[in-house]
Amino acid sequence: MNLENTLIHALGMEITSLEKGKVIATMPVNDRTRQPFGLLHGGASVALAETVASIGALQLVDQEKEAAVGLEINANHIRGKRDGIVTAHGSLLHQGRTTQIWEIRIVDEQDKLICMSRCTMAVIKK
């Protein structure tokens, strides 16, 4: 998968583990991902969460005939973060014929919860 010239690349995200129904990815908290008050931008957290769900969902479809796209996402921003790395742990909650539901926990280096997200993915025909 070529990630160059994508939001994933622009925000410095890295997929560190990929298996069926589970995805782990990291993202730096730096000038690219902070809001003007110096904290991790909520939109960057949501982008990380949807990236994890999207990549995970893609692994579970017939990639010759189907694609997976975001249908809905929500996020609760629990704790602020000014620098370092956040890690997103995505887990499949439901796999249906036309939808998947993913839960994504974003934590800091001490495993403290930064953001909790749920993303519904639609499985579509190519």
Side-chain angles (χ1 to χ4, degrees), residues 15 17-24 55-57 59-60 90 92 102:
I15 308 304
S17 177
L18 179 59
E19 56 187 85
K20 287 195 182 273
K22 292 198 182 301
V23 180
I24 300 174
I55 289 174
Q59 303 308 306
L60 300 174
L92 179 69
W102 286 78

Side-chain angles (χ1 to χ4, degrees), residues 8-42:
I8 297 166
H9 181 352
L11 295 183
M13 295 177 200
E14 291 185 28
I15 308 304
T16 60
S17 177
L18 179 59
E19 56 187 85
K20 287 195 182 273
K22 292 198 182 301
V23 180
I24 300 174
T26 61
M27 182 177 69
V29 180
N30 59 25
D31 290 342
R32 295 178 290 176
T33 58
R34 285 190 205 108
Q35 40 94 311
F37 302 110
L39 295 169
L40 176 61
H41 195 293

Side-chain angles (χ1 to χ4, degrees), residues 89-109:
H89 299 265
S91 300
L92 179 69
L93 295 178
H94 164 77
Q95 182 178 1
R97 191 175 48 77
T98 59
T99 60
Q100 296 178 21
I101 300 173
W102 286 78
E103 176 181 83
I104 304 95
R105 293 181 72 250
I106 300 176
V107 298
D108 68 8
E109 297 91 341

Side-chain angles (χ1 to χ4, degrees), residues 76-81 86-89 103-117:
N76 294 100
H77 306 291
I78 310 297
R79 176 179 279 109
K81 182 141 175 72
V86 291
T87 302
H89 299 265
E103 176 181 83
I104 304 95
R105 293 181 72 250
I106 300 176
V107 298
D108 68 8
E109 297 91 341
Q110 287 75 46
D111 206 36
K112 290 183 181 172
L113 189 61
I114 301 296
C115 178
M116 189 73 199
S117 182

